[in-house]
Amino acid sequence: MKIGIISDTHTKVKKADNALATLIEDGAEFIIHAGDIIELETLDLLKNCGKRYIAVYGNNDAHLVQYHNDYNLVQEPYYFKLAETTFKLMHLPFYMTPDTEIVLFGHTHTFSSEFNNGTLFLNPGEVCARSKPISEFSMLEIKKNKFLVTHYTQEKNDNDFKREEFSYKRAKND
């Protein structure tokens, strides 16, 4: 299963739309937003993208609570299972214990993909390109024996995304 992961879209709705379109074009079957959504229009993009999705509140998303029942919004840390894989989703990296197979987080605006003792810790980076002139996001492909992470980057004034891939052998081989 391919899972598109975005975070820290902030006010950049067009960048969020571009990231979602790219992930869906590349086969994403499920979308995760790791917080700091900020714009209602970004929630509309998620809801109308044609894929199942989940989005966690970020530290800048308190104003979105009034729309909680209209969108698939969750509070952190949020535990769930997808593709026979356990996940923990948060925005703030406060719950970084390896108690699931995948730990997803945002907030730092920095891509990170680390595999420690059977747990993948993944931050897709910032879509908004606030901390650097690069918009970034990730795709996670879950396979029986491994996790494949694709890190997408797009520099300012560039129409194409660069892709870097990482592969991790799963501890679970059912």
Side-chain angles (χ1 to χ4, degrees):
M1 175 176 226
K2 288 186 172 184
I3 302 166
I5 307 164
I6 63 175
S7 186
D8 296 284
T9 50
H10 289 258
T11 60
K12 306 300 183 182
V13 176
K14 285 184 183 177
K15 289 184 184 298
D17 190 27
N18 198 12
L20 287 171
T22 301
L23 289 166
I24 290 168
E25 182 178 305
D26 284 0
E29 302 164 72
F30 192 89
I31 304 292
I32 297 172
H33 195 305
D36 273 1
I37 304 154
I38 298 183
E39 297 294 334
L40 187 58
E41 292 89 344
T42 299
L43 284 175
D44 287 335
L45 289 173
L46 288 166
K47 187 175 186 175
N48 298 318
C49 76
K51 303 295 176 186
R52 293 183 304 142
Y53 75 93
I54 194 165
V56 69
Y57 290 104
N59 57 299
N60 290 301
D61 293 331
H63 64 286
L64 296 174
V65 80
Q66 64 186 313
Y67 305 107
H68 186 83
N69 293 330
D70 299 326
Y71 300 93
N72 198 12
L73 290 162
V74 297
Q75 294 179 337
E76 61 183 354
Y78 184 74
Y79 291 84
F80 63 102
K81 192 170 188 178
L82 187 62
E84 300 300 318
T85 305
T86 57
F87 285 80
K88 178 169 48 177
L89 173 62
M90 70 195 92
H91 179 65
L92 296 168
F94 292 162
Y95 311 96
M96 300 296 282
T97 54
D99 54 351
T100 58
E101 290 177 87
I102 310 278
V103 175
L104 299 174
F105 63 102
H107 185 66
T108 65
H109 291 241
T110 303
F111 170 77
S112 174
S113 181
E114 297 178 14
F115 192 75
N116 295 322
N117 297 320
T119 297
L120 174 61
F121 295 86
L122 179 59
N123 183 329
E126 62 173 1
V127 169
C128 69
R130 183 185 77 183
S131 297
K132 55 193 164 297
I134 297 172
S135 181
E136 57 188 345
F137 50 92
S138 299
M139 180 86 80
L140 169 63
E141 186 171 0
I142 298 172
K143 295 189 172 250
K144 184 175 181 175
N145 302 354
K146 61 185 170 181
F147 298 125
L148 297 173
V149 175
T150 303
H151 176 222
Y152 295 75
T153 57
Q154 183 183 45
E155 293 188 32
K156 193 174 183 177
N157 301 322
D158 190 354
N159 291 328
D160 297 322
F161 284 97
K162 293 183 175 119
R163 291 162 173 82
E164 184 178 11
E165 295 186 355
F166 304 85
S167 181
Y168 306 100
K169 185 177 177 6
R170 286 183 80 165
K172 177 181 174 181
N173 289 315
D174 293 343

